[in-house]
Amino acid sequence: MSDDRAFKIETKVIHSGESRPRILGAVSLPIFQTAMYEYEPVASYHDVKYIRLNNTPNHLALHRKLAALENAEAAVVMASGMAAITTTLLTILRAGDHLLAQNSLYGGTHDFLTRDLGGFGIAHELVDGSRPETWAAKLRPETKAFYVETISNPLIRISELEAAAVFAKKHGLVSIIDNTFASPVNFRPPEHGFDLSIHSGTKYLNGHSDIVGGAVIGRADLVERILHKLDHLGGSMDPHACFLLHRGMKTLALRVHFQNASALAIARFLAGHPAVTLVNYPGLESHPGHAIAARLFDGFGGMMSFELKGGVEAAERFMKRVRLPLVAPSLGGVETLMTRPATTSHLGLDPAERRGLGISDELIRLSVGVEATEDLIEDFKQALA
Ligand code: PLP
């Protein structure tokens, strides 16, 4: 969709990837709820039309739209963010290979690296994403890929992203970035030299907390290999979920712009409150990744984490007292959500491992929704009083 490049993302979420003319004139892409399609001779197994082969009209429209959103060559959707992560890693890496990854990662990814990857004969090593001078020492002749997150979960750290893409290129590694927290509205990794950008579509892309889904966006040659591996591993997205993701993405830009502004106001409120001891939000000048975020991102995002005076007890009290935010895992939806990562996304890590990574038991993670900012701040005020 190279002719779409001139459009802004607000236009692309609506128009990019859509069939022209529309199928049977339908303005909104219908759900093609059919597992298989009448047979036409094709050259490759991967071209047989079948839901598991990720090539129904619902899949193809999403692939085109997602590629356009990040100005990338190609994209593929999957059944979940974890399907996107694991299918990508198992495509790029094989037995005997070595992966370099940032040490502060989404709990599911961290667990897959530390508990499962070894079983496939793939070694890994974790590095501090903010200290590029330490990365080269960890390279091995068999290192094949470098994996980072745009904004880490739940500490909201920002790696040296430009350095990561340059380092990977210099050493012949495939650069992979989980861009879930930023969304394509705030950061587009292919524009900064990353080979592959991964999303949990469950979060901002869909935005309505009613499906799980995932996506991989990036270099066409790599996306094709990942798609073929997906055809075998089977983590395909169902057409109904495709339809909901497609519908959700139409308002992605509207939602994320609002969430950027609301989260900044809430982070400033929390940082100025005497009951709050720490706020991790890249829009605050005090955040160690602020300069990188200000340079590379179009917005600071809707995610933050914070700690209160009084530890776990104070955190639990606060989470019980708030009226608007729901206490539930996941993020990126229209409703404001809160969790204590030690009891949800990072429960799989042992407590010493969690502490080593800087994830305290009292840390609260907040995903700002699209409620009125003033109502959320009033609610936090009463809960902290
Ligand atoms: N990546 C990040 C940053 C996440 O926060 C999550 C889930 O919370 C995932 C990936 C996994 O996504 P899913 O739950 O859609 O498999």
Side-chain angles (χ1 to χ4, degrees), residues 33-34 53 64-65 94 99 164 192-193 216 220 232 235 242 248 251 268 272 283 331 359 365 379:
Q33 195 68 53
T34 172
L53 301 180
R64 294 190 298 260
K65 194 184 287 290
R94 55 178 61 203
L99 169 73
H192 298 273
V216 182
H232 295 158
C242 286
T251 55
R268 286 190 175 137
L331 59 110
I359 304 168
R365 191 188 74 184
D379 191 20

Side-chain angles (χ1 to χ4, degrees), residues 67-107:
L69 294 190
E70 291 200 351
N71 288 320
E73 292 172 358
V76 52
V77 289
M78 306 207 188
S80 68
M82 282 309 294
I85 291 164
T86 55
T87 306
T88 298
L89 291 175
L90 294 176
T91 304
I92 303 300
L93 304 165
R94 55 178 61 203
D97 287 347
H98 173 249
L99 169 73
L100 217 53
Q102 175 188 335
N103 60 7
S104 174
L105 292 169
Y106 164 61

Side-chain angles (χ1 to χ4, degrees), residues 1 33 70 80 94 110 123 151 166 174 294 307 317 324 348 385:
M1 302 298 290
Q33 195 68 53
E70 291 200 351
S80 68
R94 55 178 61 203
H110 184 272
I151 301 172
V166 169
V174 175
E307 291 178 12
R317 199 167 46 238
L324 292 174

Side-chain angles (χ1 to χ4, degrees), residues 76 78 83-100 112-113 117 120-123 141-147 168 171-177 194-198 216-230 233:
V76 52
M78 306 207 188
I85 291 164
T86 55
T87 306
T88 298
L89 291 175
L90 294 176
T91 304
I92 303 300
L93 304 165
R94 55 178 61 203
D97 287 347
H98 173 249
L99 169 73
L100 217 53
F112 180 69
L113 262 49
L117 219 44
F120 293 96
I122 300 164
E142 58 275 20
T143 309
K144 293 284 158 53
F146 191 24
Y147 187 102
H171 297 286
L173 315 179
V174 175
S175 49
I176 309 170
I177 183 164
F194 282 93
D195 296 313
L196 294 169
S197 161
I198 294 182
V216 182
I217 307 172
R219 261 172 54 189
D221 60 327
L222 297 176
V223 170
E224 187 177 358
R225 283 174 54 202
I226 292 163
L227 173 66
H228 290 179
K229 183 70 81 182
L230 176 68
L233 294 180

Side-chain angles (χ1 to χ4, degrees), residues 79-85 105-109 147 149 151-153 178-181 198-203 211-214 329-331 345 365:
S80 68
M82 282 309 294
I85 291 164
L105 292 169
Y106 164 61
T109 310
Y147 187 102
E149 290 182 359
I151 301 172
S152 80
N153 180 4
D178 182 332
N179 196 35
T180 300
F181 271 38
I198 294 182
H199 288 268
S200 165
T202 315
K203 323 296 187 205
I211 58 161
V212 281
S330 200
L331 59 110
S345 57
R365 191 188 74 184

Side-chain angles (χ1 to χ4, degrees), residues 265-284:
I266 291 168
R268 286 190 175 137
F269 160 76
L270 288 173
H273 197 286
V276 179
T277 53
L278 169 77
V279 182
N280 300 312
Y281 184 68
L284 297 178

